[in-house]
Amino acid sequence: MIFGLMMLAITAATDASAAPSPTADALQADLQTAYACKEIDGRKVWKGGLAYYIQSYVYDGQSTDDATDVATDAVLPADNAPETMREFEEACLTLAPTAINGN
């Protein structure tokens, strides 16, 4: 009985909502289907199904002209503060793709 109560307490203490982080391959595939949002602080932003993505900082000597070679950082809700996630949600809210109806 005591062992059962201890296991119940341990199980209750763990966060059941904590999902494992997506793999790099999953994030790369997600980025390929993400849609563009408004920029944040002059950096391009995209929204995918798994994460938001933001253009990596550009350092001296790096070119930003090649649109096919943009480095990005994944922004995962579990890794960021609620205020940060709201900023990304707002940037993508008005540019979300709309469903096309046959009407």
Side-chain angles (χ1 to χ4, degrees):
M1 172 114 175
I2 293 177
F3 177 74
L5 290 176
M6 287 176 50
M7 288 303 294
L8 182 59
I10 291 170
T11 304
T14 59
D15 185 3
S17 66
S21 295
T23 64
D25 288 338
L27 290 171
Q28 181 63 39
D30 186 46
L31 177 58
Q32 298 301 317
T33 60
Y35 64 88
C37 301
K38 291 181 182 178
E39 291 185 359
I40 296 177
D41 295 333
R43 297 164 64 192
K44 295 177 182 177
V45 174
W46 299 267
K47 183 179 188 318
L50 299 175
Y52 291 92
Y53 302 90
I54 189 164
Q55 180 181 16
S56 298
Y57 282 109
V58 177
Y59 299 100
D60 291 338
Q62 288 182 311
S63 172
T64 60
D65 296 335
D66 188 359
T68 62
D69 192 25
V70 175
T72 62
D73 298 309
V75 180
L76 299 167
D79 296 339
N80 290 280
E83 301 83 39
T84 301
M85 296 315 302
R86 275 194 296 278
E87 186 174 8
F88 279 88
E89 290 167 3
E90 290 172 7
C92 295
L93 183 62
T94 58
L95 297 176
T98 57
I100 299 174
N101 292 334
N103 300 359

